[in-house]
Amino acid sequence: MIRQAARALTGLLRAPGFDPRGKVVVITGGAGGIGSALGRRLARDGASIAVLDRDAERCRQVVADLPRVGTAHHEGFVGDLTDPAQVSELLDDVGGVYGYVDVLVNNTGMTSAERFADRSLESIDHELLVNLTSPLYVTRAAIPLLRRASDPRIISTVSLAGMMPQAETPIYCASKFGLRGAMLSIALDLEPHIRVSSVLPSATDTRMLRQEAVDGGNALQFQSPPQSAEDVVDAVVRLLHRPRLEGYPKPREARLVRAAMAFPNLLPVALSFFEGKGEAGRHRYLTELQRRGDVVEVDGRLVLR
Ligand SMILES: NC(=O)c1ccc[n+]([C@@H]2O[C@H](COP(=O)([O-])OP(=O)(O)OC[C@H]3O[C@@H](n4cnc5c(N)ncnc54)[C@H](O)[C@@H]3O)[C@@H](O)[C@H]2O)c1
């Protein structure tokens, strides 16, 4: 037991570093805001990027725009990762092209601002499938390819909503609480052979957040202006250099969330103090999106472009 604890401690303290040159990185949801920013960073530093996404046109565009360094080869793999047969086929295709995977980044995601009482059971199932089940399908299918690499890693984009309830998006919270628990457990199971980490961002300026802001989703997350996708990428790169179970792009916010969750019975009172500031922040964000032309007014309604 002492030997096991010593090994775990050594693993924590060791800083193995990460050189992206020559590495194969698979990014699910790689055509989206955070996924494409991560692909660009790691490609710029010499990695080959496999972009897995269901959006064929964005996937093609993102792959075409990735910088190529040396012999790096980027490729798009289009499919719906909520379908286990497609997941298995896509990972076979990735194996056929690259032969192995150094880093798997589970990053697909969605959210819905439709209130819980109004949601169809199908839409609840779908959100859980996208955010929770599909990363588990992909992780399971990628393990044989990861085992062929010398220092394999798995990183999952969770969310601070995986640590903190949000009244407007309970299914998103359920999926991210679940994904956080699954990835912590898989880490304990697979380490030290495969290092497993999660990154837990808060509001990040991507299409997903813009849509949520337009639809009137969770307001608490707008206490301060949303961070950029590159801020989340910085946190992922830190996790690659120094693997840990979890990393937080905004560590202070993560500490506040942990403190709040130590007293869950106080949440209704504690959160009410932040509501007004959050609503004002959401309004400011929407004004900024209109100024940028990302959101336009059509027939008196705001619409995402
Ligand atoms: N934007 C935020 O504020 C925020 C905050 C915390 C966590 N996150 C998480 O970050 C991750 C990336 O989100 P983003 O903000 O870049 O959003 P995004 O909408 O820009 O990207 C999500 C990508 O996932 C893809 N996708 C969705 N369902 C899919 C499916 N079934 N099969 C294949 N691809 C699918 C989409 O096509 C899209 O390209 C998500 O897991 C999200 O939950 C985002």
Side-chain angles (χ1 to χ4, degrees):
M1 198 176 121
I2 292 176
R3 199 178 303 155
Q4 265 175 333
R7 208 175 56 195
L9 197 61
T10 315
L12 268 178
L13 297 175
R14 200 170 48 185
F18 178 81
D19 182 356
R21 281 175 301 179
K23 297 286 193 307
V24 175
V25 181
V26 171
I27 307 178
T28 73
I34 293 173
S36 61
L38 179 62
R40 280 192 297 278
R41 169 76 72 87
L42 295 178
R44 189 198 68 195
D45 294 341
S48 293
I49 311 294
V51 176
L52 270 61
D53 207 288
R54 68 173 172 199
D55 187 326
E57 180 45 33
R58 283 214 177 98
C59 195
R60 194 194 57 72
Q61 194 57 55
V62 165
V63 170
D65 292 346
L66 287 172
R68 276 172 183 74
V69 175
T71 57
H73 171 75
H74 313 309
E75 194 157 327
F77 299 84
V78 176
D80 181 350
L81 299 174
T82 63
D83 175 353
Q86 290 192 44
V87 168
S88 163
E89 222 169 277
L90 288 171
L91 269 294
D92 280 352
D93 292 348
V94 169
V97 172
Y98 297 101
Y100 60 93
V101 171
D102 292 289
V103 182
L104 165 67
V105 183
N106 287 308
N107 176 69
T108 46
M110 62 160 290
T111 190
S112 164
E114 199 181 8
R115 299 305 283 260
F116 182 65
D118 302 322
R119 287 190 71 161
S120 69
L121 299 184
E122 290 75 17
S123 84
I124 292 174
D125 279 346
H126 181 68
E127 188 166 348
L128 290 172
L129 256 178
V130 172
N131 292 347
L132 173 58
T133 316
S134 83
L136 299 179
Y137 290 159
V138 174
T139 302
R140 174 70 188 79
I143 284 175
L145 293 174
L146 287 159
R147 284 195 169 134
R148 290 187 203 157
S150 57
D151 180 17
R153 321 283 183 89
I154 299 169
I155 298 188
S156 301
T157 316
V158 181
S159 167
L160 278 191
M163 295 167 72
M164 177 84 174
Q166 296 180 344
E168 301 86 347
T169 52
I171 308 307
Y172 187 73
C173 282
S175 65
K176 295 294 185 177
F177 267 70
L179 185 61
R180 180 180 186 223
M183 287 303 155
L184 286 169
S185 307
I186 291 170
L188 296 177
D189 186 32
L190 295 184
E191 289 199 351
H193 309 293
I194 301 179
R195 293 158 190 273
V196 182
S197 310
S198 296
V199 63
L200 283 79
S202 51
T204 309
D205 180 27
T206 67
R207 198 171 171 80
M208 190 174 109
L209 187 73
R210 290 172 211 142
Q211 185 68 62
E212 191 183 347
V214 166
D215 294 344
N218 175 262
L220 278 176
Q221 62 188 328
F222 295 108
Q223 302 298 316
S224 53
Q227 65 197 330
S228 69
E230 286 71 23
D231 293 327
V232 180
V233 169
D234 287 341
V236 173
V237 170
R238 283 196 294 275
L239 281 173
L240 286 170
H241 280 288
R242 185 164 170 254
R244 288 181 298 155
L245 293 187
E246 293 190 340
Y248 317 98
K250 288 189 176 174
R252 193 173 150 269
E253 265 184 25
R255 279 196 294 276
L256 268 176
V257 164
R258 270 199 298 268
M261 288 305 282
F263 306 99
N265 290 325
L266 296 181
L267 282 177
V269 177
L271 295 184
S272 65
F273 286 111
F274 296 96
E275 269 164 18
K277 194 174 168 205
E279 235 354 295
R282 187 171 77 92
H283 188 74
R284 269 197 304 279
Y285 182 49
L286 282 172
T287 307
E288 166 67 9
L289 291 179
Q290 278 177 284
R291 192 193 60 72
R292 277 166 22 187
D294 288 330
V295 165
V296 289
E297 201 170 318
V298 179
D299 299 332
R301 283 183 53 238
L302 293 181
V303 178
L304 190 62
R305 286 225 297 198

